[in-house]
Amino acid sequence: MNPAAEPTGTVEQALANAGQLLQRSADLAAEQVLEILKVAPREARAHLLLGLAQGALGQGEAAVAALRRATQLDPGLGDAWRALADHLMAMGDTAAAEAAQARHLQCSTRDPLLLRPALALAE
């Protein structure tokens, strides 16, 4: 058996590698993430990376689907909400983009004085 073909490392390491790949090659990053999803299909960050890679490849609808899945699995994943808002706005779905942006603000706000307005905006 070829040792190079055997999976090594953790999902966390694989996600970090995919994130680095995304900076150089969206194709390779997408391939890496699809392999991760074979062993960890409920990993929200993998869906986020897949959506980012698909977006970089011009696959807007697939990117939106992956980003929606990421936010379903982890509603507190602010980066997924921000990317989803960007894609929805680019696709002309202003209402959904604004809702996703509001959720991003809610996720990124840790100051109690700002949290109440962020929650109101999300509603």
Side-chain angles (χ1 to χ4, degrees):
M1 180 178 273
N2 180 358
E6 294 179 24
T8 59
T10 65
V11 170
E12 193 67 37
Q13 290 167 329
L15 286 170
N17 184 51
Q20 291 173 354
L21 279 173
L22 187 57
Q23 303 304 314
R24 297 188 309 270
S25 171
D27 283 332
L28 292 175
E31 287 179 29
Q32 173 81 22
V33 173
L34 290 172
E35 290 301 314
I36 294 168
L37 288 170
K38 288 179 182 177
V39 296
R42 298 185 61 81
E43 176 55 64
R45 292 168 301 158
H47 289 278
L48 166 59
L49 286 172
L50 180 60
L52 294 175
Q54 290 170 325
L57 293 168
Q59 302 168 355
E61 290 183 21
V64 166
L67 294 166
R68 285 188 194 275
R69 183 70 179 136
T71 61
Q72 289 169 348
L73 292 170
D74 184 354
L77 195 56
D79 289 341
W81 287 110
R82 187 189 70 235
L84 179 59
D86 291 345
H87 281 286
L88 290 169
M89 187 63 74
M91 295 171 80
D93 191 344
T94 305
E98 289 174 354
Q101 182 62 33
R103 289 299 300 266
H104 170 252
L105 290 173
Q106 180 183 356
C107 293
S108 62
T109 302
R110 301 290 180 240
D111 184 333
L113 294 175
L114 297 175
L115 187 56
R116 183 173 293 154
L119 289 172
L121 185 60
E123 292 174 3

